[in-house]
Structure formats: C-alpha cells, structure tokens
C-alpha cells in the first residue's frame, strides 16, 4: 500500500495552494480587520469599566480623584455628587474642603433659615451638570462620613469654595489638625471670609465688620 507523501515544513497547505494571490491578500486583510476590531473593542470595554469605577480599588483617592475632572449629577447645600461610583454607591459624594456644614453654622435662627435654600441654589447654578476639577489634600481625603473633601474648581477656573464664602453663603471651617496649619488655601478662604463680613454679604448682613482686611494671596 502506497503511503501518502509527507508535507514538508513551511510548505503551503492544500487550502492555500488553491487560492490566488488576490484571494490570499483578501484573507489576510480580513484577519487584520478582525484583530483591529478586537483591540478596539477591548479598549472600549476597559474605558467603560474604568468609568463605572471597577478599577478604583487599584489605587487611593489621590490617584483617582486629585486633579481630575468629573461631571456633577446633583448638589445639596453641603456637597456635590459626581458621576463616578464610590464603593457600593452609584456616585461619589464630595464635600467642599474648608467649608462649614450648614448644621455647624450657629446663626441658623429664623432670620437665616433661608441659607440652606440659597446656598443650594447657588451651588446648583454654578456646578450642576458641569464638569469640575477636584483638588484633594494628602492625608485628609475623606470626612467622618466617607465623603471626599476637595477644593472644587469650576469650568471657568474659579473656586466654588471661594465663591460661596465671598457671597456670604458659607462660613470657613476651622482647619483640621491633620492639615498644615499654614495652608495657603485656608488662609485665602479666611481672608475672603473677612472681606465678605466687611461687605456684610449673605449671612454676615447683620454682623459687625472686621476692623482690618488684607487682600487674598494670589
């Protein structure tokens, strides 16, 4: 019985032997397009997973939030919600660093009850639906309720924290012991608050002005 001839290494297969050069070129072109499609699909999937927050556990808050921009999906009088999941929550809550909570402001008597609504309206006007950039302070990224603490920069380059203080819609909170006591951003907020008090803006409209005001540092 005659044995079949062995196929030499590197010799074209029976299927390719019957294809013309044009057909071979088309076959390789289709393969290249398929590979490119797979690569693009993988990149799109990775981008989607990152947007959904699947990779947040791979780094800390400074890595994933500091210096980055996010869309604001909702606001309250004390915080923003940005469009990035935070652990088991669909969004991340961001509190304004250096700004006292509404509940911590002692002047919330009948005369100042509207501060909550007015401050929330201002935050909604300036930030809701916009992309803001967060600046965190190392070692003080979260508050006691696990909300991010950040200086928030608006699309026009101004600071949301500073604009609320300047309008008398917010009071500057005492500096946390974990932060440098000479922090430039906090000194600037205090000077802006002094100016708002002098101007009797917002919650300071019935307060005595401070005796001396220095210009905020640039």
């Amino acid at each position: 019985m005659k044995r079949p001839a062995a196929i030499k290494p590197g010799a074209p297969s029976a299927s390719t032997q019957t294809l013309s050069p044009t057909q071979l070129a088309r076959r390789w072109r289709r393969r290249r397009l398929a590979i490119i499609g797979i690569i693009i699909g993988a990149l799109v999937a990775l981008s989607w997973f990152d947007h959904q927050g699947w990779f947040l556990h791979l780094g800390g808050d400074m890595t994933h939030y500091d210096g980055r921009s996010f869309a604001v999906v909702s606001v309250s009088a004390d915080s923003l919600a940005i469009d990035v999941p935070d652990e088991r929550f669909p969004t991340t809550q961001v509190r304004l660093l250096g700004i006292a909570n509404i509940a911590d402001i002692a002047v919330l008597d009948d005369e100042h009850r509207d501060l909550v609504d007015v401050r929330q309206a201002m935050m909604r006007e300036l930030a809701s639906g916009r992309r803001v950039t967060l600046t965190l302070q190392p070692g003080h990224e979260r508050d006691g309720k696990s909300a991010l603490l950040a200086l928030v920069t608006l699309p026009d380059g101004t600071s949301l924290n500073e604009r609320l203080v300047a309008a008398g819609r917010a009071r500057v909170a005492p500096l946390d012991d974990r932060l440098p006591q000479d922090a430039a951003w906090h000194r600037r907020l205090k000077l802006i608050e002094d100016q708002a008090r002098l101007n009797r803006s917002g919650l300071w409209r019935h307060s005595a002005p401070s005796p001396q005001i220095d210009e905020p540092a640039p």
Side-chain angles (χ1 to χ4, degrees), residues 172-187:
V172 179
L175 197 60
D176 191 280
D177 291 338
R178 294 173 291 173
L179 291 168
Q181 296 303 298
D182 61 345
W185 61 267
H186 192 264
R187 292 201 311 270

Side-chain angles (χ1 to χ4, degrees), residues 62-118:
M62 292 298 295
T63 299
H64 294 286
Y65 297 103
D66 185 53
R68 297 182 62 181
S69 297
F70 305 92
V72 176
V73 296
S74 65
V75 302
S76 70
D78 282 324
S79 65
L80 312 172
I82 57 175
D83 65 339
V84 175
D86 187 22
E87 297 181 351
R88 64 183 183 277
F89 301 105
T91 59
T92 299
Q93 293 296 314
V94 181
R95 266 196 53 217
L96 302 181
L97 182 64
I99 301 300
N101 287 338
I102 287 288
D104 296 334
I105 298 179
V107 296
L108 281 183
D109 50 25
D110 291 339
E111 188 176 345
H112 297 87
R113 294 291 179 190
D114 63 341
L115 179 60
V116 175
D117 294 335
V118 171

Side-chain angles (χ1 to χ4, degrees), residues 5-209:
I7 299 176
K8 296 180 180 180
S13 65
S15 60
T16 59
Q17 285 178 338
T18 61
L19 297 177
S20 68
T22 301
Q23 291 173 318
L24 286 172
R26 288 175 180 172
R27 171 178 288 188
W28 286 111
R29 190 179 300 114
R30 286 195 295 268
R31 288 182 179 178
R32 285 197 301 270
L33 290 175
I35 293 171
I36 293 172
I38 291 172
I39 293 173
I40 292 175
L43 292 175
V44 170
L46 288 172
S47 176
W48 184 85
F49 288 137
D50 181 54
H51 182 74
Q52 296 300 312
W54 285 40
F55 303 137
L56 286 179
H57 65 282
L58 299 178
D61 290 333
M62 292 298 295
T63 299
H64 294 286
Y65 297 103
D66 185 53
R68 297 182 62 181
S69 297
F70 305 92
V72 176
V73 296
S74 65
V75 302
S76 70
D78 282 324
S79 65
L80 312 172
I82 57 175
D83 65 339
V84 175
D86 187 22
E87 297 181 351
R88 64 183 183 277
F89 301 105
T91 59
T92 299
Q93 293 296 314
V94 181
R95 266 196 53 217
L96 302 181
L97 182 64
I99 301 300
N101 287 338
I102 287 288
D104 296 334
I105 298 179
V107 296
L108 281 183
D109 50 25
D110 291 339
E111 188 176 345
H112 297 87
R113 294 291 179 190
D114 63 341
L115 179 60
V116 175
D117 294 335
V118 171
R119 184 155 117 182
Q120 183 170 354
M122 183 174 179
M123 290 179 64
R124 184 182 297 114
E125 178 183 356
L126 294 175
S128 184
R130 303 172 188 265
R131 293 191 68 82
V132 299
T133 303
L134 307 183
T135 301
L136 278 60
Q137 300 301 307
H140 192 54
E141 297 93 346
R142 301 266 179 171
D143 67 5
K145 297 181 179 179
S146 297
L148 281 178
L149 291 169
L151 301 171
V152 177
T153 302
L154 298 168
D156 63 1
T158 61
S159 165
L160 178 59
N161 310 53
E162 292 179 4
R163 290 184 67 170
L164 288 172
V165 173
R169 306 305 183 207
R171 176 177 286 179
V172 179
L175 197 60
D176 191 280
D177 291 338
R178 294 173 291 173
L179 291 168
Q181 296 303 298
D182 61 345
W185 61 267
H186 192 264
R187 292 201 311 270
R188 181 175 174 84
L189 282 177
K190 289 297 293 181
L191 289 171
I192 293 172
E193 182 180 64
D194 288 343
Q195 186 66 55
R197 188 194 297 265
L198 179 66
N199 296 337
R200 298 189 178 184
S201 302
L203 63 87
W204 308 112
R205 60 184 178 269
H206 298 297
S207 300

